[in-house]
Amino acid sequence: MFIKMPNYEIVIETGGIRSLSTWIHEVYTYPNLFVVTDRHVDQLYHQTLIDALPDFILSFVVIEPGESSKSLSTYQAVIDQLIHLGMKRNHMLVAFGGGVVGDLTGYVAATLYRGVPYIQIPTTLLAQVDSSIGGKVGIDLPQGKNLIGAFYDPKLVMIDPLFLSTLDEREYHNGLAEMIKAGLIGDRRLYQHLLTYDQVTEQEIALSIGVKRDLVLMDPYDQKERMYLNFGHTFGHAIEKKHHYQIYKHGEAISYGMLIALQIGIRLGETKPELYEEVKELLLRLNLVKEPLLNPMHYAEDILTDKKYLSDGLNYVIVPKVGVAKIIKLKESDWS
Ligand SMILES: NC(=O)c1ccc[n+]([C@@H]2O[C@H](COP(=O)([O-])OP(=O)(O)OC[C@H]3O[C@@H](n4cnc5c(N)ncnc54)[C@H](O)[C@@H]3O)[C@@H](O)[C@H]2O)c1
């Protein structure tokens, strides 16, 4: 299965890693590949990647797993190693891992020698349906997440759902949360599948990417429709930040955020209460949220100081019904 982006292709294929070599030859003519991965993925799939690419010379840079690697110090260390390994500006980088590896490697690719080509091989569900799509790359600063970054497209995204077999349940559900969001804002069929089945195949991965692709193409630089992707994220980000990115995974935080957004929709007379109940039941079943649910008032300070909060309120996404998103100006009285 393929999804076409303006400058590159997304390949979604179970077992597709075995034809990776052919795909890379379509977009790259040199024998050297420079792979950035994290220690977990390297332990699990180092040999798989070598076996998939017999006609390339691979050099590996292995970082520590986890968000703390999306840092200036790891960025510098990766660049030091790449230069030491002999990487030149026409050589290709391979981001092989979850969203942390993808965001960091993409940012290295965007900036090293003023830009080198790179491909994404996402290995978590979240990275397959979300972070490897859309060209946003970046790293964190002590002051906040994703504060340094760029829009920089890869030459190819290769998605192989076989990698998901080694994810633990919590990581898997973390990715499902973004898929539930995609279903709610843009694809009823995807949402219906997720209501019934916890497992996803290449079909659902493609539907989820399709929602993001359409919005990104309509609005590449985040001015209007792309904002729909922020459904659940205003409170989600505030929840992650308040708990120092320790207690809640991103998917869990946005799950609480989606329920808060559905409640705001109800308050504004836009969303039916039954939709809130249905989504809540789904998120509880997947352990993405727990009762008692988080109180939006506890995150008031972060919301009110959000840099996107303008004098007439905050741009905020609600879902009046499944598959339809809408931007409103959120005022404090809507949620307090
Ligand atoms: N660029 C974007 O548009 C975008 C969108 C959403 C999220 N993100 C970013 O993505 C990051 C989160 O990504 P993530 O959730 O993939 O986290 P992650 O990259 O930290 O991966 C989670 C864990 O899973 C392990 N792992 C990866 N693949 C595995 C596999 N196949 N089997 C077993 N374990 C595996 C990793 O080693 C890590 O321990 C955040 O930094 C977030 O900001 C970016």
Side-chain angles (χ1 to χ4, degrees):
M1 204 173 285
F2 313 105
I3 294 184
K4 271 214 160 303
M5 299 298 279
N7 304 320
Y8 62 97
E9 203 137 14
I10 303 165
V11 182
I12 310 164
E13 193 182 337
T14 308
I17 195 73
R18 289 190 286 271
S19 49
L20 180 62
S21 195
T22 315
W23 283 101
I24 295 182
H25 282 302
E26 298 264 320
V27 294
Y28 181 60
T29 48
Y30 300 97
N32 304 77
L33 289 173
F34 293 80
V35 181
V36 181
T37 187
D38 76 21
R39 188 167 40 76
H40 292 153
V41 178
D42 190 58
Q43 276 161 1
L44 289 164
Y45 296 112
H46 186 94
Q47 196 55 45
T48 308
L49 198 65
I50 290 178
D51 292 346
L53 298 168
D55 36 0
F56 288 95
I57 302 159
L58 303 191
S59 305
F60 284 83
V61 174
V62 182
I63 62 169
E64 279 305 297
E67 187 69 30
S68 58
S69 282
K70 257 177 68 174
S71 63
L72 276 172
S73 59
T74 310
Y75 168 78
Q76 167 89 61
V78 169
I79 283 184
D80 285 349
Q81 287 185 63
L82 290 170
I83 293 173
H84 179 73
L85 288 164
M87 179 155 184
K88 302 287 182 267
R89 65 191 297 185
N90 53 355
H91 282 149
M92 182 168 274
L93 272 178
V94 179
F96 184 44
V100 165
V101 166
D103 280 11
L104 171 74
T105 311
Y107 187 61
V108 170
T111 49
L112 178 61
Y113 307 135
R114 296 207 183 86
V116 298
Y118 80 114
I119 64 169
Q120 292 262 20
I121 309 174
T123 60
T124 61
L125 184 56
L126 182 122
Q128 294 193 345
V129 298
D130 192 359
S131 63
S132 67
I133 314 297
K136 277 190 186 176
V137 294
I139 56 175
D140 305 333
L141 287 180
Q143 293 89 330
K145 266 187 63 140
N146 300 320
L147 291 189
I148 297 182
F151 288 94
Y152 193 64
D153 281 340
K155 299 288 175 204
L156 170 74
V157 181
M158 161 59 77
I159 294 174
D160 186 342
L162 281 186
F163 288 121
L164 306 179
S165 62
T166 47
L167 277 187
D168 66 32
E169 189 178 89
R170 195 172 172 206
E171 286 297 349
Y172 194 80
H173 289 182
N174 189 41
L176 283 183
E178 287 288 357
M179 296 181 76
I180 293 166
K181 178 204 78 181
L184 281 167
I185 63 171
D187 194 311
R188 166 171 281 280
R189 206 159 32 125
L190 173 62
Y191 174 74
Q192 288 299 338
H193 175 97
L194 296 169
L195 271 186
T196 326
Y197 304 102
D198 297 350
Q199 292 301 313
V200 297
T201 66
E202 39 186 86
Q203 320 288 344
E204 291 73 48
I205 291 174
L207 288 178
S208 188
I209 292 173
V211 172
K212 183 162 183 180
R213 190 261 328 257
D214 292 349
L215 296 173
V216 168
L217 292 189
M218 259 189 265
D219 175 20
Y221 296 106
D222 234 346
Q223 303 297 314
K224 194 166 173 256
E225 289 86 354
R226 192 169 177 158
M227 273 190 235
Y228 295 165
L229 296 166
N230 288 340
F231 177 60
H233 282 59
T234 304
F235 280 91
H237 285 151
I239 292 166
E240 282 183 287
K241 192 167 165 209
K242 179 134 187 154
H243 301 282
H244 310 287
Y245 303 94
Q246 300 292 329
I247 297 182
Y248 301 103
K249 288 200 167 288
H250 179 70
E252 295 162 353
I254 66 150
S255 294
Y256 286 106
M258 288 192 282
L259 291 178
I260 293 170
L262 289 168
Q263 264 181 329
I264 289 172
I266 295 171
R267 215 154 154 172
L268 297 174
E270 298 263 8
T271 306
K272 292 222 167 66
E274 301 84 70
L275 179 60
Y276 169 81
E277 291 303 330
E278 189 176 75
V279 175
K280 183 170 125 185
E281 202 178 301
L282 171 62
L283 298 176
L284 282 169
R285 195 185 80 224
L286 294 171
N287 280 323
L288 282 163
V289 300
K290 290 190 175 62
E291 286 187 300
L293 297 175
L294 300 178
N295 181 346
M297 287 305 290
H298 295 163
Y299 305 93
E301 202 185 308
D302 275 311
I303 301 296
L304 293 171
T305 55
D306 191 311
K307 62 181 182 300
K308 287 176 256 142
Y309 212 118
L310 306 176
S311 54
D312 55 347
L314 177 70
N315 282 331
Y316 186 77
V317 186
I318 58 167
V319 165
K321 61 180 191 180
V322 177
V324 179
K326 181 174 170 183
I327 298 171
I328 59 147
K329 288 282 180 195
L330 184 73
K331 301 196 178 56
E332 201 179 341
S333 55
D334 296 332
W335 50 277
S336 59

